[in-house]
Amino acid sequence: QVQLVESGGGLVQAGGSLRLSCAASGSIYNTNTMGWYRQAPGKQRELVATITTGGSTNYADSVKGRFNISRDNTKNTVYLQMNSLKPEDTAVYHCNANLRRSWNHCYEDYWGQGTQVTVSS
């Protein structure tokens, strides 16, 4: 069984910063890409940022220059540093990990339960 547990969400004023963390635990053989997605009320889930095992990153245009994704491969943990936050960043942020549970398993996507980020104007 694999679990992804997020932390670090909360309420912040516009212009402020938050740092999200997501730790994957359980039966994990190795982890491929990890990332963050968000879903605002009434909207579809959208990509925020992803990072490969080797450290290559990809960001949504709306967060480039403000957010930074990083990971610790030894801990199967991914982070999202969010700076210059805007009210439109308000959403539930979900962690994603593409991993396999053993050498003879396929890579599968796992999701965290989500953490609320609210940015007040």
Side-chain angles (χ1 to χ4, degrees):
Q1 188 175 356
V2 174
Q3 283 189 320
L4 272 64
V5 179
E6 300 115 333
S7 61
L11 173 65
V12 65
Q13 288 188 329
S17 299
L18 284 174
R19 187 180 191 233
L20 306 182
S21 300
C22 171
S25 62
S27 178
I28 299 172
Y29 183 71
N30 65 343
T31 306
N32 193 6
T33 299
M34 301 183 77
W36 291 93
Y37 294 71
R38 66 187 182 187
Q39 187 166 18
K43 295 187 177 182
Q44 289 189 332
R45 187 174 296 187
E46 64 175 2
L47 178 147
V48 176
T50 61
I51 184 168
T52 67
T53 305
S56 296
T57 58
N58 179 50
Y59 294 92
D61 288 342
S62 59
V63 307
K64 282 181 181 177
R66 300 188 297 122
F67 290 11
N68 184 68
I69 189 170
S70 60
R71 66 189 283 174
D72 184 336
N73 291 329
T74 65
K75 298 179 180 179
N76 283 321
T77 299
V78 63
Y79 307 95
L80 186 68
Q81 177 65 43
M82 304 184 294
N83 300 321
S84 302
L85 282 160
K86 304 176 181 180
E88 50 264 43
D89 294 318
T90 295
V92 176
Y93 284 69
H94 294 270
C95 171
N96 169 270
N98 182 253
L99 58 86
R100 54 177 175 168
R101 295 166 57 191
S102 70
W103 64 271
N104 60 347
H105 274 70
C106 297
Y107 281 96
E108 297 177 278
D109 281 324
Y110 290 84
W111 294 90
Q113 80 288 351
T115 185
Q116 177 70 46
V117 171
T118 303
V119 184
S120 63
S121 57

